[in-house]
Amino acid sequence: MDSPADLFSNTFSELDSQILTLREQIRTLFRRKSALTSALSNSRTTKLILDRGDPSWPSTKDTTGQTSNSKAAVDRLQRELRGSRQSLYRICAGATMFEVKDPDPHATDLGRVFGVRIEAFVKDKFDIPYYLLMNRHPSQPTYMHIHKHTVPPSIPLRHLVAKYLPGPESPFLTAGRKSMRSQNLPRFVRELRRDLIAFHLRKASVEHLDHMCASMVQPFASTMRSVTAVDAEYRDICLEWRDGKIGRLRISKHGVVERSVVIQSERDRDLERKLLKERGRLEDLWKHATLISKLAKMADRWAKKHSPSNYYDGINDTFSQRLRLLATVYLKRKNPRHGFVLELTPNVFVKACRLNNLSEARAMKFVAENSRVPVPKVLCAFKRKGITYIAMEKVPGKMIAQHLYELSEKDQAAILAELRGIINELRSIKPPCPGRVGDYEYSLLYDDRIQRAGFGPFDTVKEFHEFLRQGIGSGTNIPGMDELVTAHERREHTTCFTHGDLSSFNIMAKDGKITGIIDWEMAGWFPDYYEYSATWHVNPQDWHWQRHVGRFLEEWPEDLEMDKIRRDIFPPW
C-alpha cells in the first residue's frame, strides 16, 4: 500500500503534468488566434470595409444587452494591417536609408547624418535591426565615413570599409601617379547585409542542432551530444558524440564545411570524409545526428511485433550491426549500383534486393567454415521489410569473363586447373544427410531457372526428379517424357554440395589466380551431375563458356542429354 507521502507525490506529479498540458494548449490557442487575426485583417473583404468606413459593421452587444461600438475591433484590424504592411516592407526592403539631424551644435557637416537600417529576418521572425550612421568627410565632402554603428564585432566591417568605402587618404597608382579611389555605397551595404544574414543563419543552425541533440528522445551512443560554436563568428564548430568522439569543423561564411577533424582514440577518417563529402552544409549534420536514432526506433517498433527468436535470424544480426548497415546504406544512397550490389566502402559491398534470401549468406558461411574455397566474407546479413541485406567483403580482382579470352592458352589452362581443384574441394564436403536434396541445412532451394519461388527440400533424388517432371510419369503422349523418366531412373545418384551458378561472371581472378567465387544464392545439396548440367546451361549469353566446362568439372554427358530433354519439355523461366 502506498504511503501518504507517495500519494501526495503522485497527486502533485499528475497536477504538474496537467498544468503543463494546459499551458501548452493556451500557447497553441494564442498562436491560432494571432494567425486567424492576421488572415482576417489581410482579407480582401476586410480591406474593402475599412476603406469604405461602413458604420454598420460590425456591432456587438455586451452581457447587459447594450450595443457597443465597433471602433475597438476596427482599430485592432487597422493595427494588424499596418503591421502586415510594415513586415512586408521589411522583408522586401532589406536595407533602408534615411537622414537625421545630430543635435550636437559642434557636429560635423552642420549635424547632417546619413543613416542605413539593415534588417535581418531569420527563423520566421525579425531580429533587432542594425544601424550605420555616416557623415561627410571633413576634407572631401564627396566622401562618406562611418561615424557610429551597431554591427557586431564578428562581422569584418573594417575590411568591407577598406574595399568599398575608402577614404581620400587611400589613393592608388594609375599610370605612375596617384588617383583617388571612388566609393561604392550600394555595394558596401549589399555585402554587409549578406555577411549579417550569413552570420545569423550560421548562429541559428548551430543553436538548432544543439537543441535537437539535447532534446533527443532515447539517445544512443552513436548520436551527437552537442553542437557548439567556438568563436564569435560561428565558423569554428565543436561536435561531441555520446560515445566520446570529439570533432571540430571549419565552415565557410555561407555554411559549407571546409575542414573537419574527428578524434576518439585516434582520428576517424571515414567520418571526416562523410562530413566533407560533396561539400556538405552545416544543416546536413542533423542527418548524421538523427539517423541512428530513427533507425533504432523503427527497429524497436518492429521488434515489439515479433518474438526475439525470430528477430535476429541472420548472420551477425545484432542490433548495432543492423543500425550500422542500414545507416550506411541510407547515407550511400547516391552511390552507383552494380546490379543488386551497392558499394559501401572500397572494401565492403552490400547486396540488397527483394528477390534474394538469407540462404546465400548462410551458404557462404557454411562453405568458408568447411573448406578452403575462396568465398566473400559475410559481415552481416538480415531481412527487413521484404528486402534481404547481405554485407560482405569485396573479392579482389575481376570476373574472368572480362579477361579469360584475352589470356594465352597456357594461362587459361592454369586458371581452369585451379578452378577444378576448388570445385573438387567443394564437392568433397561430406553431406550430413546423404541422398537428400536441399540447401546447406536442407531447407528451401532457390533456382529461378526451375521455379521463381523456393522449392524443396526432398528426401531422395527420385523425389527431386519427380518435382522436375512436375509429377508426370511414363505412359503419356508428351514427346520425350518416357525417355526422360527412363534416364531419371537409370541409376542411383549421390548428392554433393553444388554452387549451381558457376558462370564466368561469378568467378573472380587477379594476376592469374582465382580470388573468389560469388553469387551463392542457388547453392545446396544436389545430385552429382547437377553442377555440370547447370553450368553448361548457366548463361545463354556466355556460350563460349560451354566449351570450357569440361576442363574444370567432371563431365556427365548422359545426364546432360537427360537435362536437355527436360528443358525441352519444361522450358526454364
Side-chain angles (χ1 to χ4, degrees), residues 26-83:
I26 292 172
R27 284 194 291 267
T28 302
L29 291 174
F30 269 110
R31 288 194 294 266
R32 180 172 176 78
K33 175 187 175 184
S34 178
L36 292 175
T37 304
S38 298
L40 180 62
S41 62
N42 288 307
S43 66
R44 185 177 181 181
T45 304
T46 304
K47 293 179 181 178
L48 290 175
I49 293 175
L50 290 176
D51 293 339
R52 189 169 61 244
D54 190 350
S56 63
W57 178 91
S59 182
T60 59
K61 293 184 178 181
D62 56 18
T63 55
T64 61
Q66 299 294 328
T67 302
S68 60
N69 197 330
S70 62
K71 186 176 182 304
V74 174
D75 291 343
R76 173 64 183 271
L77 292 177
Q78 287 177 342
R79 287 197 302 271
E80 290 286 342
L81 184 59
R82 287 195 298 268

Side-chain angles (χ1 to χ4, degrees), residues 467-525:
F467 168 77
L468 294 180
R469 301 194 307 264
Q470 299 182 8
I472 301 175
S474 58
T476 64
N477 295 327
I478 301 175
M481 181 58 70
D482 292 344
E483 186 180 358
L484 178 60
V485 174
T486 302
H488 277 167
E489 297 177 353
R490 182 170 47 239
R491 66 179 181 86
E492 293 292 331
H493 296 272
T494 60
T495 55
C496 58
F497 200 77
T498 303
H499 181 276
D501 194 17
L502 278 177
S503 167
S504 58
F505 295 94
N506 293 334
I507 302 170
M508 310 295 290
K510 182 180 180 181
D511 299 331
K513 299 290 184 181
I514 293 178
T515 56
I517 299 177
I518 60 176
D519 285 353
W520 291 79
E521 64 266 25
M522 300 180 187
W525 303 102

Side-chain angles (χ1 to χ4, degrees), residues 526-545:
F526 283 92
D528 44 18
Y529 70 89
Y530 191 80
E531 188 83 270
Y532 177 72
S533 62
T535 305
W536 207 87
H537 295 100
V538 68
N539 190 347
Q541 300 175 354
D542 192 16
W543 58 271
H544 293 286
W545 185 241

Side-chain angles (χ1 to χ4, degrees), residues 141 361 377 396 430 439 504:
K377 181 180 180 181
K430 293 183 179 180
D439 74 347
S504 58

